[in-house]
Amino acid sequence: MDLSTLLSESQALTAHLAPTDIPSIHLGLEQIEAQSRRLVSRQAAAPGDTGKASYLLAQAQVDTGTLANNIAALNTATTFAPLQPLHDTDVAGFLRHAHEQSIISTIEEGRRETLLEFKRVLDERVRRDWEARKRRIFEELGERTTLLALEDRKRTPGQGNARLREGDVDKLQARMMAYDSTIASLNTSRLAGVAYPLIRNLMEHSDPASMTYQTYQFLASIVNESPQLLSAEHFAAQVPGSSSAERKYARAYLGEPDAVEAVRLRAQIAEGAQRSLEAQYWDVITRTIAARPQQAALGGDPSVAAHVKAYLNVKFYSQGSWEERLELISGQPLWAKLFYLIRTGHLEECLQEALAHEKAIMVKERNFVTYLKSWISSSTRKLPRSERNLLQAAYNSHILHSPTTDPFKLALFKVIGKLDPARRAVPLVTSTTEDWLWFQLAMLDEEENGGLRALSEVLLGYGERHFEGTTKGKKGMWARVLLICGQFERAVAALYENPDLQVDSVHFAIALAYYGLLRVPSKAESSDVDILSTTSSGQPALNFALLISRYIRQFIRIEPQVALQYVYCICLSSDQGAIGKEQVEIAWELTRRVILMAETGGGWVDLVGGYRADGSRFTGVIERDLKLLKLDSNPNDFAEHILKRAARQSEREKRINEAIRLYHLAGEHETVVECLARALGDQISVPVGGGDEGEELANTAKEVLSHYERTNRASGKARDAVVKLVRIRDARVAKEQGLPDKALEIMESTGIFPAENDNSLINKKAQQLRDYDEVIIRNLQIFLPLQMDILVELRNRRRAIMDATTQHAVKSLVDKALALQKFATNIKYSMSPDVHTYLSRSVVDLMN
C-alpha cells in the first residue's frame, strides 16, 4: 500500500462528518517540519528560574556551579579504563587491572544477587507470616479446618466441618478417642506413682507406615522408654514411686546447659536418635531384600553380614559389575559392607567381618582393624588421641584428596575418628536425609566442635524447606529433624503448623512434658496467638497450656471428664519455679472453665460432686484427682481455688443455679442464701416467675432452705428473705394460674404486709421493714401492686354475688386494701409516685 492510498483512506474516515468552516491544510512533511521549527523559535523563553533554584540549593550547601562544571567535564569513555595509563608492554599492569575489574564485577554481581535474594526471602517471609497469623486468627474464631470439625464428637459423622470428608472425620475422631484413653491411663499411673510407657501406648494408635509412628519411635529411643507395653497385672504390681519416669530429665534439660548432666543428656539424645535411625535402616535392608530376592541372592545364610551383602547386591551390583567407585577386597565391596554394618548398629558383626578379612584389609590400610577394634570397644565411641592422630594422618595423606578413594572407606575413617566434621556429606554414602542425619550424629562429640548444639544451629540454618520441600510425603520430616537435634519445642510447633498433624502435636507435647523435655514460657514471655516463643535467655519455649486449651475446646462440653485429663497434664511443668506456679494456676483456671462449660451439658456434678437426698456428700472426679492439680497439700485449696472462683464466675454470668450449688459445695452457706436472695429478687419482676429457669431456681432455693433448716446453717436476714421471696413467687404463680385466694393466703403468710386496717399494726409493720434484708426493701414497689392486684381480682369475682357473706368478704378486702395503701404511705420515700397512684386508683375501684 502506497502513501496516496493511505491518504485517500484516511480522508474517507471523516467524509461522513458535517463540513466545517475551518479550511483544510495541505502540507508536505518538509513544510510541516519547517513550520514547527518556526513556531518553536517564536515561542517566548521560559522565565529564568535558574537563579531561584541555585539560591534554594545554596541554602542546602549545594554548589550548583561546581557540580555543573564537573558533570560537563565528565568523560564516560574512560569509566572502566585504568587510573594510570598502561603501556602496551605492561603485561603485569594489564593483568592487575583485569583482576581488579573482575573483583569489582564480582562484588557488584554479588551485591545485586544478594539484594534480589533478600527481597525474595522478605516477600516469602511476609507471606508465610501472614498466612500463619491468618490461620491462627481463624483458629481463635473457631474456623479451624481439622480439629473444629470434631466440635461435637458424638454427632453423626459428617455433621462437622463440610470441608473434611466424612471418612477423614471418622479416622481423626477414632484416633482422638484412642488417645483419650491413653492420657487417662497416664494420669492413673501418675496418681499411683508408677512409670507408664506413654510413647509406646501412643504409637499403638498410629499407622506404622506413617511419619508420626516413626517420630514416636525416635522419641521413645531418645528417652530410653521400654519397648514392651505393660500388662494390666504388671502395671498393678508395680511398687508406687519405685520406677516413675515422670519428669525424669527435667533437671538436666531445664538447668544450666553447660552442666555435666546437661551434656550427658545431649549425648543421650544423639545416641537415641542414632539408634532409631539404625533400626530404621535395618528395616529398609530387610524390606529391600524381600522385595527383590533374586537380585539380592541371600541364600540360606541368616547372618547380619549376609543380609548386608545381599543388600549391596541389590544396590550396587548390576549387569555383572559393581559400582565403579567401590573398592573390592576379597572380591566384594568390603568397605561398603563394613560401613552398612555400622550404619545398622551391628558393631560386633562389623568387627567380626573385619577380623575375617584382616589380612586383605592390612594390604590396603595396615592399622585399620586396630582402629576399628579400639573404637568399638570404647563406651564413648572415641579413639585414644594417639590412634586418632595416626588415623588423621592416613586420612589426610591418601584418602581425603584421592579421586579414586572408595566413598565408604572415606566415611568409615570420618566416623571412627570423628574427622573433618565440617565436611558433612560424602557422595554415595549420604544420599538420603536419614543417611545424612545419621552421619552427623555419628560424628558428634560433645567435648569438641559444639556437639549437638552446634548441629542444631546448622540444621536450623538449613530450614524446613531444605528437608521437606514441596513433597507431600515428607510432611513431618522437619519435625523429626528438630526432634533428633533436641529442639523439642520447635518440633512440636512444626507438627502443629500442619493441620493433619495437630492432634499428634498435642500428644507429642504431653509425652515431652511427662519426661521433662519441654520448656514452657512465663506469662510475660508467652503469646495468646503463637504457641512458640523465645525466653529471655534465647531458648525456645512452647506455650503448652495454650496448646491444651485449644485442643480440649472441641469436646469440653460433651466430654468434660476427658478434657480434665488433658488439663491435668499442664501441671507436669509445675517444677519450673515461678513459671511452674503460673502453669498450675493456668490449669486451675482451665479446670474452672471445664466446670462452667460442663454445667450447660449437665455433667458437672460428676466433676465436682454433690449431695444425696439424705444430705450426705459424694465426691467428684476432680476431688479424687487433686494430686494431679497440686491441690492435695491443703484440704481447703479445692474449695478456695476451684469451687468458689467457679461460683463467682457463674454468678457474674447470671448462671445462678450453678453458682448456688458451687457455693454450697464450697461450704459458703451464707453466700449461698445471699446469692439466692439476690437472684430471687431479680426474678420477681419477670413474667410467669422467670419461666423454667425461675422454676429451677425456686426448687433449688427450697432444697437449700430445707437442708439448712435441718442442719441449722445460714440463719439470718438473708435466709428469711429467701423464705419470703419463695413464697411471694409462689403467690404470683398462683395468681397467674387463676387462684387468687391461694395467692392472698401465701402473700399474707410472709408477714410483710398488714392484714387489718389498724393504724398501730400498720405502723408496726412499717417499722419492721428496717429488720428485713435489702432485697425485700428494694422489691416492695413490686410486692405492693401484686398484693393489690390479688385483692382487686378477688373483689371482681364477688361483685355479682350480693349475699351477706359475700358482702362481709368484700368489706374485708376493702379494709385490706386501705391498710395496704396506708402502709405504702408510711414508706412513701422507698417507692416511686407511680406506685402510690396505682394503689390509690385500685382502692377506689374496690370501694365502688
Side-chain angles (χ1 to χ4, degrees):
M1 182 180 293
D2 55 9
L3 294 176
S4 60
T5 305
L6 287 174
L7 177 62
S8 61
E9 290 183 357
S10 64
Q11 290 174 346
L13 291 174
T14 59
H16 63 285
L17 299 175
T20 63
D21 297 334
I22 301 175
S24 301
I25 300 176
H26 300 281
L27 298 174
L29 294 177
E30 294 80 2
Q31 292 174 311
I32 292 174
E33 181 182 4
Q35 291 289 348
S36 300
R37 294 183 181 279
R38 190 176 298 113
L39 288 173
V40 170
S41 62
R42 292 176 182 176
Q43 181 68 33
D49 293 337
T50 305
K52 294 181 180 179
S54 300
Y55 175 75
L56 292 173
L57 290 172
Q59 291 181 342
Q61 306 298 321
V62 177
D63 189 349
T64 56
T66 304
L67 291 176
N69 294 332
N70 292 339
I71 293 172
L74 182 64
N75 183 8
T76 58
T78 61
T79 300
F80 299 100
L83 296 177
Q84 300 295 330
L86 296 176
H87 300 290
D88 295 340
T89 58
D90 190 359
V91 176
F94 173 79
L95 293 176
R96 182 174 61 255
H97 174 68
H99 177 65
E100 292 173 353
Q101 291 299 313
S102 298
I103 293 175
I104 293 172
S105 300
T106 302
I107 293 173
E108 180 61 25
E109 184 67 21
R111 187 192 68 81
R112 184 164 57 251
E113 291 179 356
T114 301
L115 183 61
L116 293 175
E117 179 67 12
F118 171 76
K119 290 181 178 179
R120 186 193 66 77
V121 171
L122 180 61
D123 291 342
E124 177 69 14
R125 180 64 61 83
V126 169
R127 185 190 64 79
R128 290 183 61 182
D129 288 351
W130 165 241
E131 292 296 332
R133 183 57 59 91
K134 183 169 63 174
R135 182 168 61 252
R136 289 164 186 146
I137 291 173
F138 286 158
E139 288 176 0
E140 292 301 320
L141 293 175
E143 297 180 11
R144 302 173 71 175
T145 59
T146 305
L147 295 180
L148 286 185
L150 305 176
E151 185 164 358
D152 186 354
R153 301 200 299 173
K154 291 187 177 180
R155 292 179 183 174
T156 302
Q159 290 184 355
N161 196 321
R163 287 174 288 184
L164 288 178
R165 296 189 303 274
E166 183 175 332
D168 294 337
V169 174
D170 291 342
K171 291 179 181 178
L172 188 56
Q173 177 180 349
R175 194 159 89 253
M176 290 177 69
M177 295 180 70
Y179 280 152
D180 295 346
S181 62
T182 300
I183 299 304
S185 299
L186 166 68
N187 288 323
T188 301
S189 71
R190 292 174 61 201
L191 284 173
V194 297
Y196 182 74
L198 175 59
I199 302 172
R200 302 290 176 179
N201 279 278
L202 292 173
M203 288 169 59
E204 288 293 303
H205 309 305
S206 301
D207 181 5
S210 66
M211 188 76 71
T212 300
Y213 184 89
Q214 296 172 9
T215 309
Y216 274 130
Q217 285 183 320
F218 275 86
L219 184 56
S221 180
I222 287 172
V223 300
N224 286 327
E225 188 175 277
S226 172
Q228 299 296 328
L229 292 176
L230 293 180
S231 64
E233 295 79 8
H234 187 192
F235 178 79
Q238 289 193 75
V239 178
S242 61
S243 58
S244 178
E246 184 174 338
R247 308 299 288 174
K248 182 177 180 180
Y249 303 106
R251 181 176 178 181
Y253 185 73
L254 302 174
E256 289 296 326
D258 295 324
V260 174
E261 54 190 1
V263 174
R264 192 178 299 119
L265 175 61
R266 289 196 294 272
Q268 177 181 327
I269 293 171
E271 291 170 5
Q274 188 175 346
R275 281 196 308 270
S276 189
L277 286 168
E278 290 166 355
Q280 184 187 73
Y281 201 79
W282 179 250
D283 185 59
V284 170
I285 288 178
T286 55
R287 285 189 286 108
T288 302
I289 295 172
R292 303 170 71 175
Q294 292 183 350
Q295 189 176 354
L298 178 60
D301 188 356
S303 66
V304 173
H307 277 74
V308 172
K309 176 61 168 56
Y311 176 71
L312 294 176
N313 290 339
V314 174
K315 190 169 184 179
F316 297 117
Y317 190 78
S318 178
Q319 298 179 355
S321 62
W322 291 96
E323 156 59 54
E324 60 180 5
R325 287 174 288 180
L326 301 184
E327 181 181 359
L328 301 182
I329 299 177
S330 300
Q332 60 178 328
L334 190 58
W335 298 119
K337 189 175 183 180
L338 295 176
F339 175 82
Y340 279 113
L341 286 169
I342 295 176
R343 173 69 177 85
T344 56
H346 297 95
L347 302 184
E348 290 299 327
E349 289 82 354
C350 175
L351 180 58
Q352 294 301 322
E353 189 72 15
L355 291 174
H357 300 87
E358 184 173 8
K359 291 183 179 180
I361 294 175
M362 289 180 64
V363 174
K364 302 292 183 178
E365 295 295 336
R366 182 176 181 180
N367 297 315
F368 177 78
V369 177
T370 303
Y371 301 148
L372 179 64
K373 185 185 301 184
S374 178
W375 178 73
I376 291 175
S377 62
S378 171
S379 59
T380 58
R381 296 291 179 265
K382 291 179 66 175
L383 291 176
R385 181 173 297 276
S386 58
E387 292 184 347
R388 186 175 184 270
N389 291 339
L390 294 173
L391 187 70
Q392 177 84 60
Y395 173 81
N396 291 335
S397 62
H398 62 275
I399 293 178
L400 177 59
H401 300 293
S402 175
T404 60
T405 298
D406 187 325
F408 290 97
K409 178 181 178 180
L410 175 67
L412 282 170
F413 271 72
K414 285 176 65 66
V415 169
I416 293 173
K418 301 186 186 298
L419 305 177
D420 200 8
R423 198 183 298 271
R424 300 188 177 277
V426 177
L428 201 66
V429 176
T430 56
S431 56
T432 66
T433 300
E434 289 80 3
D435 290 334
W436 187 88
L437 288 171
W438 178 89
F439 198 67
Q440 311 313 309
L441 294 173
M443 292 195 298
L444 273 186
D445 188 349
E446 284 298 323
E447 298 178 2
E448 298 180 13
N449 304 314
L452 190 63
R453 287 184 291 181
L455 178 60
S456 301
E457 294 177 1
V458 172
L459 296 177
L460 290 172
Y462 287 151
E464 177 181 359
R465 178 174 293 183
H466 179 82
F467 292 96
E468 290 191 0
T470 58
T471 305
K472 185 177 181 180
K474 287 191 173 183
K475 293 300 180 184
M477 174 60 76
W478 176 235
R480 185 195 297 182
V481 170
L482 292 170
L483 193 74
I484 286 173
C485 64
Q487 296 290 319
F488 300 121
E489 297 81 10
R490 289 191 171 100
V492 174
L495 286 172
Y496 190 75
E497 288 296 318
N498 189 336
D500 296 333
L501 300 176
Q502 286 182 346
V503 172
D504 301 299
S505 69
V506 174
H507 296 88
F508 268 106
I510 292 174
L512 290 166
Y514 176 65
Y515 283 102
L517 295 174
L518 192 71
R519 182 178 290 103
V520 296
S522 64
K523 284 187 176 181
E525 296 171 338
S526 60
S527 167
D528 293 334
V529 178
D530 298 322
I531 63 170
L532 187 67
S533 59
T534 304
T535 65
S536 56
S537 59
Q539 295 173 313
L542 186 82
N543 196 335
F544 185 44
L546 178 61
L547 191 68
I548 293 294
S549 65
R550 286 180 177 177
Y551 182 72
I552 66 173
R553 70 184 179 187
Q554 323 315 319
F555 50 86
I556 190 172
R557 295 177 185 272
I558 306 303
E559 297 176 347
Q561 294 191 39
V562 174
L564 270 179
Q565 298 298 323
Y566 284 90
V567 172
Y568 296 157
C569 296
I570 297 176
C571 293
L572 285 167
S573 301
S574 61
D575 55 359
Q576 289 188 229
I579 296 177
K581 186 177 180 181
E582 290 178 349
Q583 295 296 300
V584 171
E585 291 175 351
I586 293 173
W588 294 345
E589 180 183 351
L590 281 177
T591 301
R592 295 192 293 269
R593 188 186 305 174
V594 171
I595 293 172
L596 295 175
M597 299 294 283
E599 287 172 355
T600 59
W604 72 283
V605 175
D606 297 330
L607 304 181
V608 298
Y611 286 91
R612 299 182 180 90
D614 59 0
S616 61
R617 191 177 187 281
F618 62 91
T619 60
V621 173
I622 300 176
E623 285 184 273
R624 295 195 294 269
D625 298 337
L626 291 180
K627 179 181 177 181
L628 300 178
L629 286 171
K630 309 302 177 185
L631 289 170
D632 56 330
S633 59
N634 189 325
N636 297 323
D637 284 347
F638 173 60
E640 186 66 34
H641 296 293
I642 303 298
L643 294 178
K644 290 182 184 179
R645 293 189 183 184
R648 286 193 284 270
Q649 180 66 25
S650 294
E651 189 176 4
R652 285 194 295 269
E653 296 176 1
K654 303 300 182 182
R655 294 157 63 173
I656 304 302
N657 287 297
E658 291 83 357
I660 289 169
R661 293 178 182 180
L662 289 170
Y663 278 130
H664 183 50
L665 289 172
E668 293 292 307
H669 308 301
E670 296 291 342
T671 307
V672 168
V673 293
E674 291 172 2
C675 183
L676 270 173
R678 289 193 297 270
L680 289 169
D682 292 340
Q683 287 199 345
I684 283 295
S685 60
V686 180
V688 199
D692 294 338
E693 185 178 354
E695 182 68 25
E696 183 181 2
L697 179 62
N699 291 335
T700 300
K702 291 174 183 178
E703 293 175 5
V704 170
L705 288 174
S706 175
H707 179 71
Y708 285 3
E709 285 174 0
R710 290 197 308 268
T711 58
N712 193 26
R713 289 175 176 170
S715 60
K717 292 194 298 183
R719 195 173 98 178
D720 293 340
V722 172
V723 173
K724 290 178 171 56
L725 289 168
V726 170
R727 291 179 180 178
I728 292 172
R729 183 192 179 281
D730 291 343
R732 178 166 186 164
V733 172
K735 174 184 174 298
E736 292 172 351
Q737 291 176 348
L739 303 172
D741 293 297
K742 180 180 179 181
L744 180 61
E745 180 183 354
I746 296 174
M747 289 293 289
E748 289 181 346
S749 69
T750 62
I752 300 176
F753 316 108
E756 301 175 4
N757 190 9
D758 184 344
N759 290 332
S760 61
L761 178 62
I762 293 172
N763 292 332
K764 182 179 179 180
K765 289 292 183 182
Q767 293 294 326
Q768 288 177 351
L769 289 177
R770 293 179 296 183
D771 300 328
Y772 291 160
D773 191 87
E774 184 270 337
V775 69
I776 299 294
I777 307 299
R778 189 178 70 245
N779 285 288
L780 279 174
Q781 57 186 356
I782 297 173
F783 300 159
L784 292 174
L786 174 62
Q787 174 84 331
M788 187 64 75
D789 289 343
I790 294 172
L791 295 173
V792 170
E793 186 173 346
L794 287 171
R795 171 69 178 86
N796 291 337
R797 290 193 175 192
R798 293 172 171 80
R799 191 180 295 274
I801 304 174
M802 300 304 296
D803 56 33
T805 303
T806 303
Q807 290 179 357
H808 177 74
V810 169
K811 182 178 182 304
S812 176
L813 293 176
V814 171
D815 288 341
K816 292 179 185 293
L818 290 170
L820 194 66
Q821 184 184 24
K822 293 177 181 178
F823 176 75
T825 303
N826 286 350
I827 56 173
K828 59 183 178 180
Y829 297 111
S830 301
M831 294 178 294
S832 66
D834 294 338
V835 175
H836 290 283
T837 302
Y838 180 78
L839 294 176
S840 300
R841 188 183 302 115
S842 298
V843 169
V844 173
D845 292 341
L846 277 167
M847 298 177 67
N848 293 332

